[in-house]
Amino acid sequence: RIRVFWKEEMGKTFNEAVKSIYLKNRVLYLNVHSSVVRQELQYSKEALLRRLNQLLEEDYLREVVIN
């Protein structure tokens, strides 16, 4: 569900900038190759975490790590 959300909701720029998305121990890891997009995601990390947990209909994710 997270990958579908990402493709549908985040837009072309973010989709192209994120090289990989993976989940481990309730932490979502985003590997981003664009420094500009990485910075934007850092600023909106808490909002992104809330939105993803809403999508999952529970407080599943504990953190979003952006590399």
Side-chain angles (χ1 to χ4, degrees):
R1 286 196 277 180
I2 292 171
R3 289 179 196 274
V4 171
F5 164 82
W6 195 266
K7 286 183 180 181
E8 292 177 356
E9 301 291 325
M10 295 305 290
K12 183 179 178 181
T13 302
F14 288 101
N15 281 315
E16 291 175 354
V18 175
K19 290 194 285 187
S20 65
I21 300 173
Y22 65 96
L23 185 63
K24 183 177 181 182
N25 298 325
R26 297 176 51 196
V27 177
L28 181 67
Y29 294 87
L30 302 173
N31 189 354
V32 182
H33 71 259
S34 166
S35 60
V36 173
V37 172
R38 185 182 306 115
Q39 190 66 35
E40 288 217 23
L41 287 170
Q42 286 289 354
Y43 286 131
S44 62
K45 192 161 63 169
E46 290 300 317
L48 180 60
L49 180 63
R50 283 192 304 272
R51 178 66 180 109
L52 289 167
N53 278 327
Q54 284 177 341
L55 172 74
L56 297 170
E57 298 177 345
E58 63 178 301
D59 284 339
Y60 179 78
L61 296 174
R62 292 185 294 123
E63 185 179 1
V64 175
V65 175
I66 301 162
N67 298 318

